[in-house]
Amino acid sequence: MDFLGLFEKYWPFMALVLWFAYKWWNSKRVIAMLPELKKNGAIFVDVRSAGEFANGNAPGTINIPLQELGSRLGEIPKSSPVVLCCASGTRSGMAKLMLRKKGYRKVYNIGTWSKFLD
C-alpha cells in the first residue's frame, strides 16, 4: 500500500496522534515560559468547575469555570498575560479561543492544572 492509501485509511488516527502531540508540545512550551510569565504579572486561571477546583488546585490559580468565563471577563485584565488550565487542556483550549476573540493577546494554555505543580 502506498502512502496515499495509508493516509486515506488511517487519517483519523494520525490526526488524533498529531493533536495529542501538539497539546504535549504546547504544554512544555508554556511550562518553560512560566518564570517569565510570572515576572510579567501573569494571571493563572483554572476553568474547571467549582467542585473540581475544590477537590484540588494549584496555589495561585483563580477559579473561573468555563461556563462563567464570558460573564466574568472583568476579573481578568487585558494588560496581563493569562495562563489557563483545566483537567486535560481541552476546556482551557476553548477558554483561550474565547479570550483571544475578546481581545486578549497574551493567552497561554498550560493544559492540566497539575502542571503548575511541576
Side-chain angles (χ1 to χ4, degrees):
M1 187 178 286
D2 63 347
F3 176 76
L4 187 57
L6 284 171
F7 181 78
E8 287 174 352
K9 186 173 183 177
Y10 295 108
W11 74 264
F13 175 72
M14 292 189 302
L16 187 63
V17 168
L18 286 172
W19 169 246
F20 281 108
Y22 169 76
K23 284 176 64 171
W24 174 84
W25 170 82
N26 186 61
S27 176
K28 293 292 185 188
R29 182 181 67 89
V30 175
I31 290 169
M33 296 170 63
L34 278 179
E36 185 69 23
L37 291 168
K38 287 179 183 178
K39 191 172 91 173
N40 292 330
I43 309 288
F44 302 108
V45 180
D46 188 325
V47 297
R48 295 177 298 150
S49 70
E52 289 174 290
F53 187 79
N55 284 330
N57 60 75
T61 56
I62 60 170
N63 181 227
I64 303 178
L66 180 60
Q67 66 270 18
E68 297 174 17
L69 187 59
S71 63
R72 295 179 61 186
L73 291 176
E75 297 175 39
I76 307 170
K78 286 186 177 179
S79 59
S80 298
V82 180
V83 182
L84 301 159
C85 69
C86 65
S88 69
T90 302
R91 284 177 282 182
S92 51
M94 289 186 276
K96 179 181 176 181
L97 291 174
M98 179 190 296
L99 291 176
R100 297 286 303 208
K101 187 175 180 180
K102 296 291 185 177
Y104 291 79
R105 293 291 159 234
K106 297 177 272 182
V107 184
Y108 306 89
N109 179 6
I110 198 168
T112 107
W113 68 271
S114 62
K115 291 186 178 171
F116 280 119
L117 304 175
D118 292 342

